[in-house]
C-alpha cells in the first residue's frame, strides 16, 4: 500500500477474497480499503500500521493481531505482519501479510491433553477455556457449550474465535479483556454479560491469565468465568428496592421525617426538609421535634405527637422555624411505625405558607375591590409576580374584545407582542428583585402593544405599582391600562412629516443623510461597497409649466413608485428636492469594480423604468378626465463608496457631479463618477473605467450566445488593459476593429437564434441592434479620423454596446430560450 494521504492499495493477491470476501479489484479500484475494514476497537493498531516511516522511523516492521470486517458483515480475527519502506523519491509504502488466525491454530497440529485436564473440562461447573496468541480457542470446558448455539461438544470450539460463536457486541467485550492480557496485565478481570442458547441473558465473573513459554513470552491465555447471574439478580433487586424507597422519599413535594419515640429525635429526612428550613444534613441529625417551634406552639405539637402514637395517625397545621428565623406553615400528616421492637413517628409535611398568604391577599383584595368602579374606561387589573393576571375589570372587552374570563386564562405571551413582552418581563423582574430584597419598588409607567380578539393590536399606557398588606408583605401588582392608539398615531404622523416627503412618502433629505451615514458605517464593518445615484428628471419643467403643479405632482408620485420597484427593500429611495431623487444601494461587493458594475446595472434599470411613458389624468371642466401620455427621462449620476471614503457630503458631491455630466451628454443616460478616494491610484483612466467581470448568472442557456457574450466581455477588457498600459494607437485600433467584427457576427447569430426560438420581440430587438451598430460605427470612424478620444469611445463600446445591452435588453429573451429548450451550437 502507498502511504500517501490517503493510503491506497497498489497491489493485492487473490487470497484476500478467501480471507475477507472482497475481490482484489475492489481494493485496487478504491471501492474498499483495508483501513475501512478495521474494527473500531483496533484503531491503535491502524495508527501504527499506516504511520509514515519518515515521521515514525521506529515503526518500520512488526507483527500484530487485528479484527477485520468480512464482506458478509462478520468480524474475522487476523494475524498480520508488516514491513515499511521509502523509495528514492521519498514515497512511503507498507507491505502487509494477513493470515486467518483460525488457520494458524490448525497449522500447529493436534496437541495431546492430559487426562486430568480433559476430565476437568468435561465436569467443571465454571466456564474454563484456553486461547492462543491470536485469540483462537485451543481448549474449553463443556459448560461453555451452553452459551454457543451451534456447538454440542467443547471440542467443536477449538480453532474458532469469539466472533464465530457469539454476537459481535459480546465478542467485542471479550476481545478487549484479552487485549489487556496480551499487553502484559497479570490478571484481566471484569463482570461481563453472556447470552445463553435459549436467548436469556446472564452475568459471569470473567478472569483471564497469560500463558508464557520458557522464555517468559506470552503465547496464549487461559480463563475462568463463573456464573453469578443469580447473585447479581438478587443484588440488583435489593439495590432497586432501596433506590426506589430513597427516590420516593427524595421526590416527595414536601418534607419527610422519621422520629424515634418516645425520644422524639430525628433519624431520617429528605433533602427537601433541609432546603425549606435552611439546615445542613449535619445540623438536622438528632434534632428534637420541638426544636422547630416557638414556645407558644410546643404544647400543641407534643399533644399531636402523643395522639399519633396512641391512636395511629393525626393531621395538624403548625409553623416551623427556619434557620434564618422566619416561619413556614406546614400541614403535618403523621403515622405510627413499629419495626424490630422500636417505635417511630413517620410523616410528611406540605408547605401551606403560600395558601395562607393567598387567603390574606383575598381579604385585602375585598377591601379595595369595592372602591373600584366597574364602569371606568381604563382597564384595572392585578397580577402576581409570575406575570399571571388575577383580576381584570370589565372594560377589557371594549379595549381588546376579549371577555374577562378569557383574559385571566391568557399568559403574557398570549396578549403582548414580542417587543412589548420583553419590556414587560424586564419591569416584572425589577418588581420581583425589590420584593425579594424586602424593598418597596417604585411605580412603573410604560407603553405596551397588546393583541385584540379580531387580530389587530392596540397600544396601551401601563401604570403599575406593588401592593403590600398591613405587615408589609407582598399582595399583588395593581395596574391600569389606558388606550393611547390615537396619541401614538398623531406622534407617528409628526415623525412622518419630519422625515418623509409629504407628496411621495419617500424619505426626505434629513432622513437620507442619516441612511447614508448608516450605509457608510455598515460598509466599514463588512468591507462591502455601496452605491449612490443622484437622479434628475430631464424634461419635468415643461410639464409643470404647461399643465400645472397638480399634474407635475402626479408624475413625481409615479416616479417614486417606479424607483421603489427597481431596488431591494433594504435599499433607500429618497426625494432630494424638486425633481431630484437619490437612491442608495448597499451591500454590493468587496471589489470596487464589481460593485460599480452591479450598481450600474441598477442605474440602467432605473433609467429604463423612468423613460417609460407616463399616463397622467387631466381634469377638463365639464368634460371628465382626459389621459395625458407624457415622456420624461432621467439623467443619473452614479458613485460607488466605501466606509473609508472621506465623508457623506463628498459621496453626494461625486454623484451630483456625475449627474451633471450625464446632463451635458444629452440626458437620459447614466454617468459613473470618475472620482475615488481609496488611495494614490485615484484619477486617470484607472478610476474612470472598470473591467467587466463575467458571472454565471449572465448566461441565457444557449451555448452560442453565452460563448459570444463571454468573448465580447474579453474583447472589451483587452481594450481597457491596452488603454491603461498606454499602448500605441494602432494597437488600440486593431483591438477595437476586432471587437466590432465580433459584435456584428454576434448580433447576426443572436437575431437568427431568437427568431427561430419564437421570441416575440425579435423585430424590436433587431432594431436596437441597428441603432447600437450605427452609433458604434460613427464613433469608431471618428476615432480612426483622430477626432474622438479612446476614453469616450470605450465608454460607449464597453458599457453601452456590450455590458448594458447584454445585461438589460438581452435578458428579455432569456426565458424564451430556456423554455424552448433548443441549443444552436452552429450557425450557417
Amino acid at each position: 500500500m502507498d502511504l500517501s494521504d490517503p493510503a491506497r492499495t497498489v497491489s493485492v493477491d487473490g487470497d484476500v477474497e478467501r480471507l475477507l470476501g472482497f475481490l482484489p479489484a475492489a481494493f485496487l479500484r478504491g471501492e474498499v480499503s483495508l483501513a475501512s475494514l478495521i474494527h473500531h476497537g483496533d484503531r491503535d493498531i491502524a495508527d501504527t500500521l499506516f504511520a509514515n516511516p519518515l515521521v515514525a522511523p521506529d515503526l518500520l516492521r512488526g507483527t500484530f493481531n487485528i479484527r477485520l470486517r468480512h464482506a458478509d458483515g462478520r468480524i474475522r480475527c487476523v494475524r498480520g505482519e508488516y514491513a515499511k519502506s521509502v523509495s528514492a523519491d521519498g514515497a512511503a509504502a507498507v507491505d502487509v501479510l494477513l493470515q486467518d488466525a483460525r488457520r494458524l491454530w490448525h497449522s500447529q497440529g493436534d496437541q495431546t491433553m492430559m487426562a486430568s485436564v480433559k476430565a476437568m473440562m468435561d465436569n467443571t461447573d465454571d466456564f474454563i477455556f484456553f486461547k492462543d496468541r491470536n485469540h483462537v480457542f485451543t481448549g474449553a470446558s463443556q459448560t461453555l457449550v451452553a452459551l454457543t448455539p451451534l456447538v454440542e461438544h467443547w471440542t467443536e470450539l477449538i480453532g474458532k474465535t469469539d466472533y464465530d460463536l457469539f454476537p459481535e457486541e459480546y465478542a467485542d467485550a471479550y476481545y478487549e479483556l484479552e487485549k489487556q492480557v496480551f499487553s502484559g496485565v497479570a490478571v484481566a478481570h471484569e463482570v461481563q454479560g453472556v447470552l445463553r442458547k435459549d436467548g436469556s441473558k446472564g452475568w459471569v465473573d470473567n478472569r483471564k491469565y497469560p500463558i508464557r513459554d520458557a522464555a517468559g513470552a506470552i503465547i496464549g491465555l487461559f480463563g475462568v468465568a463463573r456464573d453469578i447471574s443469580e447473585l447479581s439478580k438478587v443484588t440488583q433487586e435489593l439495590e432497586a428496592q432501596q433506590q426506589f424507597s430513597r427516590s420516593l422519599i427524595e421526590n416527595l413535594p414536601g418534607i419527610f421525617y422519621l422520629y424515634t419515640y418516645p425520644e422524639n429525635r430525628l433519624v431520617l429526612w429528605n433533602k427537601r426538609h433541609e432546603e425549606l428550613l435552611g439546615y445542613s444534613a449535619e445540623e438536622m441529625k438528632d434534632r428534637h421535634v420541638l426544636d422547630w417551634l416557638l414556645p407558644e406552639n410546643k404544647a400543641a405539637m407534643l399533644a399531636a405527637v402523643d395522639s399519633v402514637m396512641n391512636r395511629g395517625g393525626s393531621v395538624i397545621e403548625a409553623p416551623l422555624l427556619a434557620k434564618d428565623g422566619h416561619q413556614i406553615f406546614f400541614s403535618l400528616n403523621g403515622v405510627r411505625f413499629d419495626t424490630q421492637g422500636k417505635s417511630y413517628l413517620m410523616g410528611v409535611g406540605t408547605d401551606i405558607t403560600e395558601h395562607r398568604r393567598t387567603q390574606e391577599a383575598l381579604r385585602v383584595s375585598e377591601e379595595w375591590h369595592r372602591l373600584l368602579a366597574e364602569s371606568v374606561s381604563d382597564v384595572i387589573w392585578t397580577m402576581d409576580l409570575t406575570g399571571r393576571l388575577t383580576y381584570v375589570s370589565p372594560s377589557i372587552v371594549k379595549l381588546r374584545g376579549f371577555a374577562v374570563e378569557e383574559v385571566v386564562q391568557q399568559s403574557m405571551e398570549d396578549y403582548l407582542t414580542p417587543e412589548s413582552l420583553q419590556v414587560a418581563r424586564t419591569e416584572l423582574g425589577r418588581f420581583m428583585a425589590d420584593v425579594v430584597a424586602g424593598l418597596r419598588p417604585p411605580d412603573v409607567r410604560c407603553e405596551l402593544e397588546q393583541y385584540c380578539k379580531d387580530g389587530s393590536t392596540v397600544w396601551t399606557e401601563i401604570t403599575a405599582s406593588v401592593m403590600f398588606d398591613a405587615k408589609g408583605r407582598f399582595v399583588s401588582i395593581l395596574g391600569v391600562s389606558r388606550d393611547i392608539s390615537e396619541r401614538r398615531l398623531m406622534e407617528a404622523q409628526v415623525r412622518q412629516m419630519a422625515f418623509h416627503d409629504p407628496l411621495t412618502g419617500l424619505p426626505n433629505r434629513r432622513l437620507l443623510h442619516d441612511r447614508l451615514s448608516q450605509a457608510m458605517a455598515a460598509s466599514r464593518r463588512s468591507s462591502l461597497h455601496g452605491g449612490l445615484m443622484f437622479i434628475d428628471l430631464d424634461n419635468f419643467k415643461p410639464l409643470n409649466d404647461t399643465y400645472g403643479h397638480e399634474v407635475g405632482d402626479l408624475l413625481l408620485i409615479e416616479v417614486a413608485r417606479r424607483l421603489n420597484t427597481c431596488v431591494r427593500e433594504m435599499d433607500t429611495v429618497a426625494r432630494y428636492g424638486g425633481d431630484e431623487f437619490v437612491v442608495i444601494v448597499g451591500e454590493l461587493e468587496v471589489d470596487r469594480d464589481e460593485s460599480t458594475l452591479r450598481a450600474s446595472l441598477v442605474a440602467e434599470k432605473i433609467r429604463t423604468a423612468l423613460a417609460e411613458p407616463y399616463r397622467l389624468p387631466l381634469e377638463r371642466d365639464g368634460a371628465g378626465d382626459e389621459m395625458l401620455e407624457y415622456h420624461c427621462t432621467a439623467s443619473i449620476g452614479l458613485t460607488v463608496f466605501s466606509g473609508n471614503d472621506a465623508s457623506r457630503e463628498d459621496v453626494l458631491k461625486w454623484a451630483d457631479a456625475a449627474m451633471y455630466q450625464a446632463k451635458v451628454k444629452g440626458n437620459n443616460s447614466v454617468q459613473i463618477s470618475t472620482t475615488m478616494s481609496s488611495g494614490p491610484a485615484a484619477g486617470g483612466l484607472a478610476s474612470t473605467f472598470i473591467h467587466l467581470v463575467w458571472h454565471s448568472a449572465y448566461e441565457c442557456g444557449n451555448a452560442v450566445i453565452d460563448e459570444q457574450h463571454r468573448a465580447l466581455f474579453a474583447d472589451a477588457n483587452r481594450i481597457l488593459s491596452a488603454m491603461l498600459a498606454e499602448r500605441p494607437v494602432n494597437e488600440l485600433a486593431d483591438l477595437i476593429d476586432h471587437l466590432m467584427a465580433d459584435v456584428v457576427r454576434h448580433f447576426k447569430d443572436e437575431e437568427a437564434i431568437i427568431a427561430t426560438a419564437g421570441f416575440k420581440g425579435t423585430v424590436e430587438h433587431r432594431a436596437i441592434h441597428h441603432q447600437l451598430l450605427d452609433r458604434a460605427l460613427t464613433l469608431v470612424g471618428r476615432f480612426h479620423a483622430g477626432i474622438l478620444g479612446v476614453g469616450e469611445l470605450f465608454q460607449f463600446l464597453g458599457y453601452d454596446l456590450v455590458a448594458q445591452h447584454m445585461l438589460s435588453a438581452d435578458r428579455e429573451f432569456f426565458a424564451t430560450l430556456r423554455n424552448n429548450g433548443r441549443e444552436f451550437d452552429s450557425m450557417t
Side-chain angles (χ1 to χ4, degrees):
M1 287 185 295
D2 181 359
L3 291 181
S4 57
D5 187 13
R8 62 184 182 88
T9 303
V10 296
S11 176
V12 59
D13 64 26
D15 288 339
V16 73
E17 183 179 0
R18 184 176 62 180
L19 177 63
L20 298 175
F22 295 96
L23 293 173
F27 286 90
L28 298 176
R29 290 195 298 265
E31 297 170 0
V32 65
S33 66
L34 181 61
S36 68
L37 302 179
I38 295 175
H39 188 280
H40 62 83
D42 291 336
R43 288 301 171 190
D44 54 334
I45 300 173
D47 293 342
T48 299
L49 187 60
F50 298 118
N52 193 308
L54 296 175
V55 179
D58 56 329
L59 301 176
L60 295 180
R61 62 179 58 252
T63 61
F64 57 90
N65 286 86
I66 201 167
R67 290 166 286 178
L68 301 177
R69 193 169 298 280
H70 192 273
D72 62 9
R74 295 178 61 84
I75 292 296
R76 296 290 191 273
C77 293
V78 175
R79 178 72 172 178
E81 300 179 18
Y82 70 89
K84 299 181 182 179
S85 60
V86 181
S87 64
D89 60 358
V94 59
D95 294 318
V96 181
L97 173 65
L98 302 175
Q99 296 173 287
D100 191 331
R102 299 171 299 181
R103 295 183 180 275
L104 292 178
W105 182 85
H106 283 301
S107 67
Q108 296 174 0
D110 294 334
Q111 298 181 6
T112 303
M113 184 178 294
M114 294 184 298
S116 59
V117 174
K118 183 176 182 302
M120 177 185 67
M121 294 293 191
D122 288 333
N123 297 289
T124 182
D125 291 333
D126 292 332
F127 304 115
I128 300 177
F129 51 89
F130 295 85
K131 291 187 178 182
D132 65 10
R133 187 63 177 78
N134 299 317
H135 303 269
V136 177
F137 282 100
T138 58
S141 63
Q142 183 62 26
T143 51
L144 198 58
V145 173
L147 305 180
T148 53
L150 301 179
V151 175
E152 297 299 331
H153 193 266
W154 67 266
T155 55
E156 298 176 55
L157 300 174
I158 297 175
K160 291 182 171 57
T161 70
D162 288 331
Y163 290 95
D164 300 319
L165 303 170
F166 307 112
E168 186 174 321
E169 59 178 301
Y170 290 87
D172 282 348
Y174 306 153
Y175 193 98
E176 291 300 322
L177 198 62
E178 291 170 8
K179 286 178 69 173
Q180 296 181 32
V181 174
F182 293 141
S183 69
V185 174
V187 180
H189 172 229
E190 189 173 86
V191 175
Q192 296 181 320
V194 294
L195 187 66
R196 302 186 182 94
K197 281 185 176 181
D198 61 4
S200 63
K201 294 183 179 180
W203 297 91
V204 295
D205 186 323
N206 203 356
R207 299 172 186 264
K208 299 183 180 183
Y209 308 84
I211 299 176
R212 301 179 183 270
D213 61 12
I218 299 176
I219 59 174
L221 64 84
F222 75 92
V224 179
R226 177 157 296 171
D227 191 339
I228 60 169
S229 300
E230 289 303 319
L231 176 61
S232 176
K233 181 179 179 181
V234 172
T235 302
Q236 290 176 358
E237 289 178 352
L238 180 59
E239 289 177 351
Q241 291 174 0
Q242 293 175 341
Q243 179 63 30
F244 175 78
S245 298
R246 192 65 199 176
S247 178
L248 182 62
I249 292 173
E250 290 299 336
N251 288 283
L252 288 172
I255 64 174
F256 172 85
Y257 50 85
L258 184 68
Y259 288 90
T260 61
Y261 185 81
E263 296 87 353
N264 292 330
R265 294 291 177 179
L266 186 64
V267 293
L268 184 64
W269 61 92
N270 63 356
K271 192 69 175 177
R272 185 64 174 157
H273 205 324
E274 298 176 13
E275 294 171 349
L276 284 176
L277 298 179
Y279 290 93
S280 66
E282 187 62 30
E283 292 171 325
M284 296 281 290
K285 185 178 180 181
D286 209 34
R287 285 183 69 88
H288 195 275
V289 71
L290 299 181
D291 289 346
W292 314 105
L293 302 169
L294 291 173
E296 59 267 26
N297 298 321
K298 291 184 178 182
M301 177 60 75
L302 285 177
V305 171
D306 289 338
S307 176
V308 170
M309 301 309 293
N310 294 327
R311 291 198 290 257
S314 179
V315 178
I316 66 168
E317 292 186 3
L320 303 186
L321 276 174
K323 187 176 180 178
D324 61 7
H326 80 279
Q327 293 187 97
I328 304 175
F329 279 84
F330 284 91
S331 174
L332 302 172
N333 189 342
V335 295
R336 178 176 180 139
F337 174 64
D338 295 303
T339 180
Q340 298 181 356
K342 298 189 68 174
S343 297
Y344 297 88
L345 168 65
M346 180 172 67
V348 294
T350 303
D351 183 355
I352 60 171
T353 306
E354 193 63 31
H355 174 69
R356 292 173 65 91
R357 287 177 181 170
T358 301
Q359 290 179 325
E360 175 66 14
L362 288 174
R363 186 193 63 78
V364 175
S365 174
E366 291 174 355
E367 293 181 6
W368 58 260
H369 190 273
R370 291 190 300 270
L371 303 177
L372 299 177
E374 297 290 350
S375 60
V376 294
S377 59
D378 293 344
V379 178
I380 302 171
W381 47 267
T382 60
M383 175 185 290
D384 61 22
L385 288 176
T386 68
R388 184 179 63 89
L389 291 168
T390 54
Y391 168 81
V392 181
S393 66
S395 49
I396 189 67
V397 179
K398 181 179 178 181
L399 179 67
R400 295 179 52 220
F402 289 100
V404 171
E405 295 75 14
E406 295 175 299
V407 174
V408 294
Q409 297 298 322
Q410 294 176 339
S411 65
M412 288 199 298
E413 291 83 354
D414 295 329
Y415 61 80
L416 293 177
T417 63
E419 296 78 8
S420 293
L421 177 63
Q422 185 63 39
V423 174
R425 282 177 171 167
T426 300
E427 298 301 337
L428 186 61
R430 292 174 182 167
F431 272 162
M432 185 179 298
D434 285 346
V435 170
V436 171
L439 304 175
R440 184 177 294 271
D443 293 351
V444 168
R445 186 183 298 273
C446 61
E447 295 182 1
L448 301 179
E449 187 178 12
Q450 303 188 43
Y451 293 116
C452 297
K453 194 166 187 175
D454 62 4
S456 63
T457 61
V458 59
W459 276 98
T460 56
E461 181 182 68
I462 306 298
T463 304
S465 58
V466 176
M467 292 183 60
F468 295 91
D469 64 14
K471 295 183 178 180
R473 293 175 299 191
F474 171 80
V475 174
S476 68
I477 300 172
L478 172 63
V480 177
S481 300
R482 174 170 296 172
D483 186 351
I484 58 168
S485 300
E486 291 187 7
R487 190 188 79 191
R488 287 185 64 91
L489 179 61
M490 294 178 59
E491 292 173 350
Q493 291 173 345
V494 171
R495 286 194 298 271
Q496 177 74 13
M497 294 172 60
F499 295 103
H500 290 80
D501 173 46
L503 176 65
T504 62
L506 296 177
N508 59 16
R509 186 178 302 196
R510 179 185 300 174
L511 184 54
L512 168 70
H513 289 166
D514 180 68
R515 294 276 181 87
L516 180 55
S517 298
Q518 293 180 31
M520 296 181 72
S523 175
R524 278 193 293 274
R525 293 191 298 270
S526 66
S527 298
L528 297 173
H529 285 77
L532 186 140
M533 300 163 215
F534 211 108
I535 303 167
D536 184 83
L537 301 182
D538 293 327
N539 48 340
F540 174 72
K541 188 175 184 298
L543 177 70
N544 255 357
D545 294 343
T546 304
Y547 298 100
H549 291 287
E550 293 82 3
V551 177
D553 288 348
L554 293 177
L555 185 138
L556 292 175
I557 293 171
E558 175 62 14
V559 168
R561 187 195 67 79
R562 294 185 186 184
L563 288 174
N564 276 320
T565 63
C566 292
V567 298
R568 301 164 297 181
E569 189 173 336
M570 62 174 287
D571 300 325
T572 296
V573 177
R575 185 182 180 194
Y576 204 67
D579 60 349
E580 294 179 330
F581 296 84
V582 173
V583 174
I584 302 173
V585 290
E587 298 184 10
L588 296 175
E589 304 288 344
V590 174
D591 182 78
R592 181 180 286 268
D593 287 351
E594 292 191 30
S595 299
T596 302
L597 180 57
R598 280 189 58 186
S600 66
L601 295 178
V602 177
E604 179 61 25
K605 181 179 179 182
I606 290 174
R607 185 197 66 77
T608 303
L610 297 185
E612 292 292 323
Y614 295 83
R615 292 181 58 81
L616 308 172
L618 297 179
E619 291 186 5
R620 299 296 188 187
D621 294 338
D625 288 346
E626 176 184 337
M627 297 305 295
L628 168 68
E629 184 173 292
Y630 191 78
H631 293 268
C632 181
T633 59
S635 297
I636 303 175
L638 167 65
T639 187
V640 171
F641 63 85
S642 73
N644 299 318
D645 285 328
S647 68
R648 180 185 67 198
E649 290 72 20
D650 287 338
V651 174
L652 287 166
K653 180 178 64 179
W654 299 336
D656 184 46
M659 183 273 293
Y660 179 75
Q661 294 176 13
K663 285 281 189 185
V664 171
K665 290 190 175 184
N667 301 331
N668 193 24
S669 63
V670 177
Q671 182 66 29
I672 302 173
S673 171
T674 60
T675 306
M676 295 172 61
S677 64
S678 55
L685 288 174
S687 63
T688 306
F689 302 108
I690 60 171
H691 280 83
L692 304 181
V693 181
W694 179 264
H695 290 286
S696 60
Y698 303 160
E699 296 177 355
C700 69
N702 182 277
V704 173
I705 293 178
D706 288 338
E707 183 58 35
Q708 290 180 353
H709 280 174
R710 281 192 290 270
L712 293 177
F713 263 50
D715 289 346
N717 285 333
R718 278 192 287 271
I719 295 173
L720 179 56
S721 296
M723 291 166 56
L724 297 177
E726 299 183 357
R727 304 300 300 166
V729 174
N730 62 333
E731 186 175 328
L732 286 170
D734 291 341
L735 293 173
I736 291 170
D737 291 343
H738 181 77
L739 169 64
M740 289 301 301
D742 284 350
V743 168
V744 172
R745 181 173 62 255
H746 167 63
F747 280 179
K748 179 181 178 181
D749 291 349
E750 184 177 86
E751 290 166 8
I753 291 172
I754 63 177
T756 304
F759 175 53
K760 294 182 179 179
T762 300
V763 174
E764 293 79 1
H765 202 77
R766 185 180 290 114
I768 294 174
H769 283 176
H770 289 166
Q771 293 174 3
L772 290 172
L773 278 177
D774 288 346
R775 178 64 175 164
L777 291 173
T778 299
L779 293 178
V780 170
R782 294 176 63 192
F783 168 72
H784 285 308
I787 58 177
L788 180 69
V790 67
E792 186 174 352
L793 176 61
F794 182 76
Q795 179 72 34
F796 177 80
L797 295 180
Y799 297 128
D800 295 350
L801 183 64
V802 176
Q804 291 190 4
H805 172 67
M806 189 187 76
L807 300 179
S808 57
D810 278 5
R811 298 188 73 86
E812 295 180 3
F813 60 70
F814 279 20
T816 301
L817 294 184
R818 289 167 180 165
N819 293 335
N820 185 270
R822 299 193 181 103
E823 292 286 345
F824 298 88
D825 294 326
S826 62
M827 299 298 298
T828 302

